Amino acid sequence: MATLVLTAVGAVFGPVAGIATGVIGFAGAQLFGAGGKSRQGPRLNDLAVQSSVYGTPLPRLYGMIRASGSVIWATDIRETAHRSGGGKGKPKTTTYSYAASFAVALSARPIRSVKRIWGDGKLMRSAEGSWIMAANMRLYTGLEDEAPDPLIASAEGPDAAPAYRGMAYAVFEDLDLTEFANHIPSLSFEVEADEAPVSAAAIIDDLGAITGLAPSLSPEEATPLRGFGIASGGSVRSVLETLATVDPLTILDDGTATAVSLRRIPDAIDLSRQDMGASWRIERGAPVARMTVERIAADQTPGEISIGYYDCARDYQTGLQRAHFGMGRRSERIELPAALMPGEAKALAERKMAEVSVRSVTSTIRLPYRALALRPGDLLRHPADGGLWRVTEMTVERMVVELALERMLQIPLTPSSAADGGRVAPQNGLANGETVLHVLDLPPLFDELPAVPRIWIAASGKEQGWRRADIALSLDSGGSWQSIYTATGGSVAGVTLTALGAGASTLWDDRNAVEVELDHEGMWLEGRADESLLAGANLALIDDELVQFGHVEQLGGHRFRLSRLLRGRRGTEWASADHEAGGRFILIEPAVTGVADLPVSRLGSSIRFRGTGPGEDPAAAEAVTLLLKGRALLPPSPVHVTASLLADGSVNVQWIRRSRQGWGGWIDGVDAPLGEESERYRVTLRQLGGSERIVDVSQSSCTHALADRLADGGDISRLSVAIVQLSAIAGPGMAAAADFVIDD
C-alpha cells in the first residue's frame, strides 16, 4: 500500500502553497532550500549595518528604501598635518586631519539614483542632492556598460580595476573624517531602485530572471510596497514566505515549470455533501467521519501580532505596529524588510490578526478518487458553511482523497488611520547655501586680555539651511589661504531698518529704539531682564557700536523692534552717534562667535577672509577685507576728565582710567585693573587760537604750567584737552576729549 502526501507550506507566513522539494524537482535546494534545514528570510537588520566582511551577500533593493551597503574597496586613511603659531608669546602647534577614499556597494541589481545620505546617523546630503557635509561622491547605478571608477583604476591599475557592472555602488574620494571622529563613518543611503512602488509580483519576476522561476500570475492583484530589500542570502523560498506576509501566494507546478500566483481570490471549487463520504479507515470500530471541523481554543492562539518594518515617516528607522484580538497570551512578531507608512503596517498587522482568528478553525474532508485533480493551495467552498477554505494538505490512499482545510479570510489592505509611528528628531535637509561672513575688529568681548591682535568671526547664511563653513584668511592678498576656524550654528545677523539716535553710555536709553530685519526666518531675538543685561546678555553690534537690548517686539516675519537699550558698551561710546538705517546688526554670542589671533606685524595692514560651505568652491567664495586696527589691544578712553586752575597759575588736568580688563564689575571699589604693561598716557593740550602741546605722562594727571600756557599762545582761558592711554603693542587707544573755560 502506498500513500502520497502533498502539503502547503507557509502556514505561519501566509498561504504559500507548495510541494515538498523533491516533488517540485526543477530547482531543488538552490531555489527552495534544503528541506530539513531551518530557513531565514530577509530580516530588518539586514540593511541597517554597514559591513566590510568578505562574503557578505549584497542586497537586492526595490522601490525606495534606506540601506547601508558594504565597503568593497578602500585606501589607507590619509593624514595631513597643519602647523600654526610660533609668533610672539605663542607656541607652535600642529594639528592633524584625516581623509579616506572608499567604495560602498549598495545593491546587487541596478538602481535609478540616491537621494539622502547619512553618516553615523547625521544627514550628509539632502534629498535634492545638496551636500550638507563636504563630500566628493561618484555614483554608479549598475549599468552593464559602466567603466571602472578612475580613482580605483589609478590605485589598482587599469587592468586590475573591476567595473562592478550590474552592481550599484558609490565611491567617496578623500572624505574629510573630521565630522566623524576621524573614522570612516557608517553610511546609509536612501536608494531609489525603481521609478514607482514595487510589489511582490515585481520582486518575484526579478528573482525569476536569475533562478528560472516563471513570471508571476495575476500581478495586478499584488499590494504595492514603497520599498523592499533582500540581503540575507537565503533561498527564494524564504523570500516568498516573507512576501506572503503581504499577499497570499500560491506556487503552481505543472511538471515543466514553476510559477507563483498572486490571485487574492482564485476560482473556488464548489463541493457538495454528495461528494463526501469516501473512507476506508476504521478507527475505534467505526469508519472515520467523512467531515470533521475543529476549532483551536481561543487562549491557544496568538493574542497579539506585531509587524516590524522600515518606517518611511521616520527616515526608514525600524517601526513596529501591533494588532490585538481575543484571549490569546502569545505574541508573534513578523519582520518585514519593506518600507511602509505606519498606517499601512498597522493595517497589515490587523489583517494578519484577523487571519489568525479565522484560521483557528480547520476541517478534514474525504472525497472519492474524482478529487485527485485537487492540489494544496486550491480554494474550496465548504459544504458546511459555504465559506472559502484552502487546501493545506492532501493525502491519497486506497483511492480516497483526504483534504486538510483551513478557513480563508479575504479583506482589502487599507491604511489604518489609528496608526502612529512615533516621532523622529528632525534633521535639516536644506541646502547650506551661501555663507555670510562678518569679520569684527572689536574691543575684548568676553573678559579676556589678548596680547596679540584678535578678531571675532560671525558667520551665518542667507538661508535657513546654513550649518557650517570653513573660515580661511590670506595675508598675501589672496595668493594663499590658511584655514583658521570652522563656523557652526550660525550667528544671528541682519540689517537695521530704522535710524538709531545718539545715546549716552552712562544711562538706560529708553528714548531710542531700532527696528532690525534678520537674514532669514530661522533667526530669532528674545528680550532679557535688566539683571541679565547687566550680566552681559543680548550684546549686539550696530555698525561699530556695541549695544545691549532688553525689550523685543516681533513685527512679523523676521523683523523685530528693540528698545530698553544700553549704549556704547565695552568702550564703544565713540560710535554711539546717530546711526542711519541699513547698518549691520550682529548678535554677539560666545557659542557661535569665532576667535582668531593674528600676528602683531599685520597691524595696519589689510587681511582677506572667506567662508566656504560644504561642497562650495573656495575660489567662488566672496572675500571680506579687513583693515586690522587691533582694537582688542587698544585701551579704552579715560573718563571723568577735569581741569582746575592752581594757585601758581598752572592748570591741573585729571582723569580716571579705564581698562581692557574687568568689564564684568568693579571688584575692589578703588580703581580699574591696569591691563597694560605699564601706565602711560599721551595728553594733547590746545588753547583757543594757540599751538598744540603734547605731553606723555605715567599717571592719570597732567599739569599745564603757567609758562607753557603763555608760550602756547591763544586764549589761555579756553583749553581743549584730548587724552589717550598708550598700549605697548598697538600704540594710542581711544581718546577722551573735553573743552574747559579756565577762570583766573
Side-chain angles (χ1 to χ4, degrees):
M1 178 180 68
T3 302
L4 175 64
V5 179
L6 304 180
T7 62
V9 298
V12 175
F13 297 91
V16 183
I19 309 173
T21 303
V23 177
I24 291 178
F26 96 95
Q30 178 182 1
L31 179 59
F32 289 102
K37 298 181 180 179
S38 62
R39 297 180 299 275
Q40 294 289 337
R43 302 177 66 84
L44 280 174
N45 59 4
D46 289 342
L47 303 179
V49 180
Q50 181 172 290
S51 173
S52 59
V53 179
Y54 183 80
T56 300
L58 296 179
R60 298 183 71 83
L61 304 181
Y62 305 87
M64 182 88 78
I65 198 166
R66 180 173 174 176
S68 295
S70 299
V71 176
I72 55 175
W73 178 86
T75 63
D76 292 334
I77 292 180
R78 180 172 58 84
E79 179 184 84
T80 303
H82 306 273
R83 295 176 176 83
S84 62
K88 182 178 179 181
K90 293 189 65 177
K92 291 183 178 180
T93 59
T94 302
T95 59
Y96 298 90
S97 63
Y98 298 88
S101 299
F102 53 93
V104 181
L106 304 179
S107 176
R109 62 187 295 266
I111 65 173
R112 287 175 52 84
S113 65
V114 165
K115 302 297 185 181
R116 290 177 291 176
I117 300 176
W118 294 264
D120 286 350
K122 296 182 289 187
L123 191 64
M124 295 177 60
R125 194 176 84 157
S126 69
E128 295 75 25
S130 299
W131 286 100
I132 298 163
M133 302 178 185
N136 179 15
M137 185 196 80
R138 292 181 293 276
L139 177 66
Y140 297 88
T141 60
L143 300 179
E144 294 295 338
D145 58 353
E146 289 178 332
D149 180 79
L151 177 64
I152 298 178
S154 65
E156 305 295 335
D159 296 331
Y164 300 113
R165 295 186 177 97
M167 179 182 72
Y169 69 103
V171 176
F172 288 83
E173 183 170 352
D174 287 336
L175 178 66
D176 186 358
L177 303 181
T178 303
E179 293 281 351
F180 310 107
N182 294 326
H183 71 270
I184 295 178
S186 177
L187 298 174
S188 58
F189 305 77
E190 184 181 34
V191 177
E192 183 189 27
D194 302 280
E195 185 175 7
V198 296
S199 65
I203 298 169
I204 292 169
D205 291 346
D206 177 68
L207 296 177
I210 59 176
T211 62
L213 193 66
S216 59
L217 304 177
S218 304
E220 68 281 354
E221 298 189 32
T223 301
L225 298 172
R226 298 174 186 267
F228 193 83
I230 303 173
S232 64
S235 67
V236 174
R237 177 173 183 155
S238 65
V239 177
L240 295 180
E241 289 178 340
T242 302
L243 291 173
T245 304
V246 180
D247 287 309
L249 307 180
T250 302
I251 297 178
L252 305 175
D253 181 19
D254 62 3
T256 60
T258 301
V260 178
S261 173
L262 291 99
R263 295 196 64 183
R264 289 195 167 275
I265 307 179
D267 295 333
I269 301 172
D270 292 321
L271 293 180
S272 65
R273 291 183 179 272
Q274 288 75 17
D275 291 328
M276 294 184 291
S279 178
W280 63 269
R281 284 189 298 162
I282 302 295
E283 292 183 2
R284 297 180 181 179
V288 175
R290 62 180 183 175
M291 178 178 66
T292 60
V293 177
E294 297 181 358
R295 180 182 295 274
I296 301 175
D299 60 355
Q300 298 300 311
T301 60
E304 175 188 274
I305 287 184
S306 58
I307 300 289
Y309 66 104
Y310 295 120
D311 192 340
C312 298
R314 299 190 305 121
D315 296 341
Y316 304 94
Q317 295 184 27
T318 301
L320 190 69
Q321 294 294 331
R322 297 181 174 90
H324 304 269
F325 183 79
M327 302 172 56
R329 298 179 180 179
R330 291 189 298 110
S331 176
E332 290 187 3
R333 172 166 174 162
I334 300 172
E335 289 195 354
L336 181 64
L340 301 170
M341 294 297 289
E344 296 165 347
K346 180 74 170 181
L348 181 58
E350 291 172 346
R351 191 175 76 183
K352 301 306 292 183
M353 191 73 253
E355 288 178 355
V356 167
S357 175
V358 169
R359 290 177 182 169
S360 63
V361 180
T362 61
S363 177
T364 302
I365 61 175
R366 293 166 183 84
L367 304 175
Y369 69 93
R370 294 189 301 273
L372 282 173
L374 295 176
R375 286 292 183 270
D378 286 346
L379 283 190
L380 308 178
R381 291 198 180 276
H382 202 289
D385 60 3
L388 290 177
W389 294 67
R390 185 176 74 102
V391 179
T392 60
E393 183 175 306
M394 176 179 176
T395 302
V396 180
E397 188 172 359
R398 292 188 179 182
M399 303 305 291
V400 174
V401 179
E402 183 177 287
L403 302 179
L405 308 177
E406 66 177 8
R407 200 162 60 176
M408 290 294 296
L409 173 71
Q410 296 295 330
I411 59 174
L413 183 61
T414 56
S416 173
S417 59
D420 183 2
R423 300 291 183 267
V424 63
Q427 297 196 46
N428 190 346
L430 301 176
N432 196 80
E434 178 185 354
T435 297
V436 178
L437 181 62
H438 301 276
V439 182
L440 311 177
D441 192 354
L442 297 175
L445 293 179
F446 308 123
D447 292 331
E448 69 268 272
L449 191 64
V452 295
R454 175 167 294 177
I455 52 99
W456 285 264
I457 300 167
S460 59
K462 286 291 186 182
E463 302 172 3
Q464 293 191 48
W466 190 93
R467 298 166 186 81
R468 60 186 290 268
D470 178 73
I471 310 301
L473 65 79
S474 174
L475 301 176
D476 54 5
S477 301
S480 61
W481 293 87
Q482 176 186 355
S483 178
I484 59 171
Y485 170 64
T486 298
T488 59
S491 296
V492 175
V495 297
T496 58
L497 298 177
T498 60
L500 175 61
S505 63
T506 55
L507 300 171
W508 291 95
D509 186 358
D510 288 324
R511 180 174 61 90
N512 291 304
V514 62
E515 294 181 10
V516 300
E517 182 177 45
L518 305 182
D519 286 341
H520 58 71
E521 293 186 356
M523 296 180 177
W524 194 258
L525 297 174
E526 293 183 349
R528 291 289 187 268
D530 290 354
E531 293 79 5
S532 297
L533 296 188
L534 295 176
N538 276 6
L539 180 66
L541 184 68
I542 296 179
D543 292 330
D544 290 323
E545 180 188 1
L546 287 169
V547 176
Q548 289 178 271
F549 55 93
H551 295 170
V552 175
E553 177 185 359
Q554 187 188 12
L555 303 178
H558 41 110
R559 298 177 59 183
F560 300 84
R561 187 175 188 268
L562 312 181
S563 57
R564 186 63 172 166
L565 306 178
L566 287 174
R567 306 291 298 275
R569 311 304 284 167
R570 302 278 174 170
T572 60
E573 65 276 354
W574 59 271
S576 61
D578 292 341
H579 296 272
E580 296 181 357
R584 64 180 176 178
F585 173 87
I586 304 166
L587 186 65
I588 306 297
E589 299 176 285
V592 294
T593 304
V595 177
D597 289 342
L598 302 175
V600 174
S601 61
R602 307 308 300 185
L603 282 171
S605 63
S606 294
I607 303 176
R608 294 186 183 182
F609 299 82
R610 71 183 183 195
T612 307
E616 186 178 357
D617 182 7
E622 184 177 355
V624 174
T625 301
L626 173 72
L627 178 61
L628 183 61
K629 298 179 180 179
R631 285 178 176 159
L633 298 174
L634 298 178
S637 62
V639 294
H640 303 302
V641 181
T642 62
S644 59
L645 182 65
L646 301 180
D648 61 359
S650 60
V651 175
N652 182 36
V653 180
Q654 294 184 323
W655 58 89
I656 296 177
R657 74 161 185 261
R658 290 192 294 175
S659 173
R660 293 185 295 139
Q661 184 179 7
W663 292 101
W666 195 3
I667 299 175
D668 58 9
V670 178
D671 207 350
L674 179 60
E676 307 297 333
E677 292 184 4
S678 61
E679 186 173 9
R680 296 189 303 129
Y681 304 92
R682 180 161 295 162
V683 184
T684 301
L685 305 169
R686 182 191 291 273
Q687 296 170 147
L688 182 63
S691 59
E692 183 179 85
R693 179 179 294 273
I694 299 176
V695 181
D696 286 355
V697 296
S698 58
Q699 70 283 333
S700 57
S701 64
C702 172
T703 300
H704 194 194
L706 177 60
D708 293 335
R709 295 176 65 197
L710 296 174
D712 292 344
D715 185 353
I716 64 173
S717 66
R718 300 292 181 92
L719 178 64
S720 296
V721 179
I723 307 166
V724 295
Q725 188 174 356
L726 299 178
S727 164
I729 301 174
M734 305 306 298
D739 296 324
F740 300 97
V741 176
I742 308 299
D743 295 326
D744 291 334

